[in-house]
Each structure stands twice: as C-alpha cells, then as structure tokens.
Amino acid sequence: DVQLVESGGGLVQAGGSLRLSCAASGATLSSVCMGWFRQTPGKERAGVAYRSSGGSKTYADSVKGRFTISEDKAKTTLYLQMNSLNPEDTAMYYCAARWGDYPCGGRRAPDFRFWGQGTQVTVSS
C-alpha cells in the first residue's frame, strides 16, 4: 500500500501563496499516478493537478498558470505550489495515488485508491 501525508495548509490572504507537501511511502512517484484534489462542503472532490509516473503534469483550467506541481529529487514528496490564491481556492486539499497511468491527468477521485488525510487551505478576501 501507499501511505500519503499532506502538510502545508493554512490561512492566507487573497493574492498570497502556499506550498502543500505530500510525503509518500510504500512507493516512489516514479511508479504511481499522483493527483492533488480539493473539496468544499457539499461538493465532489475535484482534481486540480496531476503528475504521471513519467513526470507529465496536468492542471485543471481553474488553476492553470497559478498552481505548479513538482517533486523532490528522491521522488518521495510531491508539492503543490499555489500562487495568486483567491477565496474560491478555499477547500480541503488532498493528495492521492493510484497504480497505473494511461491516462493520469484528468482522472476522477474514485479512480484513486490511496489518499492522504487532507490539509485545509483558507483564503481570506
């Protein structure tokens, strides 16, 4: 199994930045499709950024140009750099992993087997 632990959430003013981290154990990022998802009360968990096992990165239109997904050299930690945050970005953020790509980007939450506990991001206006 893959274990995931997120960190880095918090409260930030509109226009600010945060970087989320997702520490993975049980697999390296070279062997799994990874996704960052976010969820607000009453809504489905939505994908915002993905990293395939080969390193390809995909972004939802709502965050393109503002969020950047990256990894450490050891390929055990995934990051989500979030810039130009606005109140609509307020949500619980989760990282997720699944065995197998083809494709990775754009997959929905039910396609992912492994999940972290989530980290809250709150953007004040």
Side-chain angles (χ1 to χ4, degrees):
D1 284 4
V2 180
Q3 292 80 42
L4 304 170
V5 179
E6 300 102 334
S7 60
L11 174 64
V12 64
Q13 288 189 330
S17 298
L18 281 175
R19 188 175 80 158
L20 307 183
S21 299
C22 173
S25 58
T28 68
L29 303 184
S30 300
S31 58
V32 291
C33 160
M34 296 291 298
W36 281 104
F37 289 77
R38 65 186 181 187
Q39 187 173 27
T40 54
K43 292 192 175 181
E44 290 187 0
R45 208 167 283 191
V48 296
Y50 302 84
R51 182 196 181 278
S52 74
S53 61
S56 297
K57 293 156 188 179
T58 311
Y59 300 92
D61 288 344
S62 59
V63 307
K64 205 170 289 184
R66 301 187 299 122
F67 290 13
T68 303
I69 196 170
S70 64
E71 64 281 345
D72 67 340
K73 287 186 178 180
K75 292 188 171 54
T76 59
T77 303
L78 189 72
Y79 302 104
L80 185 68
Q81 178 66 43
M82 305 186 295
N83 299 330
S84 301
L85 286 162
N86 58 64
E88 290 70 38
D89 295 315
T90 295
M92 184 72 79
Y93 283 72
Y94 300 88
C95 67
R98 56 166 280 128
W99 302 114
D101 296 322
Y102 315 117
C104 179
R107 283 193 176 272
R108 296 174 62 244
D111 293 337
F112 287 79
R113 178 177 175 185
F114 306 106
W115 291 87
Q117 81 286 357
T119 186
Q120 178 68 37
V121 171
T122 303
V123 184
S124 63
S125 57

